């Protein structure tokens, strides 16, 4: 008995390939950074560094940009500038410009991070040692 023969398929016409670009549901219309930062974005000198903690003082005003609104929502609890840059996927320089504008408007406050002492106070260590010796 011979095995059945396979029939060769004829190639079908392929539909035209879609134009290059993001697929459906992935439409992303990126803004240029100078649009996000504003017209005079490069002319400011901010005192913010990567570890400065930012806290929102108010809700986003109706005239706030989407980036400012996102910053205000994120900073309901203290976050560093580096964390904000990572969460919003924006460069540090753009975040600095946005935060400088918001500091001037009184929407956020910036404070230095809380630094703990690296070495404990000698008197505390002696008190602990004496307490342990008495046990």
């Amino acid at each position: 008995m011979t095995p059945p023969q396979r029939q060769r398929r004829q190639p079908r016409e392929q539909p035209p390939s879609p134009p290059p670009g993001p697929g459906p549901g992935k439409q992303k219309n990126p803004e240029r950074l100078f649009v996000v930062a504003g017209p005079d974005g490069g002319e400011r000198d901010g005192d913010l560094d990567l570890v400065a903690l930012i806290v929102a003082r108010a809700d986003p005003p109706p005239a706030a940009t989407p980036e400012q609104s996102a910053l205000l929502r994120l900073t309901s609890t203290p976050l560093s500038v580096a964390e904000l840059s990572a969460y919003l996927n924006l460069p540090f320089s753009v975040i600095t410009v946005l935060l400088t504008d918001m500091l001037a408007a009184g929407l956020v406050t910036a404070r230095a991070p809380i630094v703990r002492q690296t070495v404990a106070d000698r008197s505390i260590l002696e008190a602990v040692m004496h307490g342990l010796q008495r046990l």
Side-chain angles (χ1 to χ4, degrees):
M1 180 167 196
T2 60
Q5 297 284 328
R6 290 186 159 182
Q7 291 187 2
R8 182 173 230 156
R9 289 188 246 169
Q10 298 297 325
R12 296 180 186 172
E13 282 190 37
Q14 302 240 347
S17 62
K26 295 183 181 177
Q27 284 290 69
K28 188 172 183 183
N29 192 3
E31 295 290 340
R32 301 280 186 214
L33 295 179
F34 64 85
V35 173
V36 174
D40 55 346
E43 300 175 9
R44 296 186 186 97
D45 55 338
D47 293 336
L48 298 174
D49 58 351
L50 287 172
V51 294
L53 294 176
I54 307 297
V55 182
R57 294 180 65 193
D59 291 331
T65 64
E67 291 82 11
Q68 288 176 338
S69 297
L71 279 171
L72 288 171
R73 281 193 307 272
L74 284 172
T75 56
S76 60
T77 60
L79 283 177
S80 70
V81 177
E83 289 173 313
L84 292 171
S85 176
Y87 287 143
L88 294 178
N89 199 18
L90 289 172
F92 170 71
S93 57
V94 174
I95 294 293
T96 303
V97 171
L98 289 170
L99 289 174
T100 304
D101 285 344
M102 294 169 70
L103 281 167
L107 297 173
V108 295
T109 57
R111 61 182 171 98
I114 300 169
V115 180
R116 296 183 181 181
Q117 290 182 337
T118 56
V119 179
D121 187 20
R122 183 178 176 98
S123 62
I124 293 175
L125 290 175
E126 288 176 355
V128 169
M129 185 178 71
H130 292 302
L132 290 173
Q133 287 174 349
R134 289 184 198 154
L135 290 175

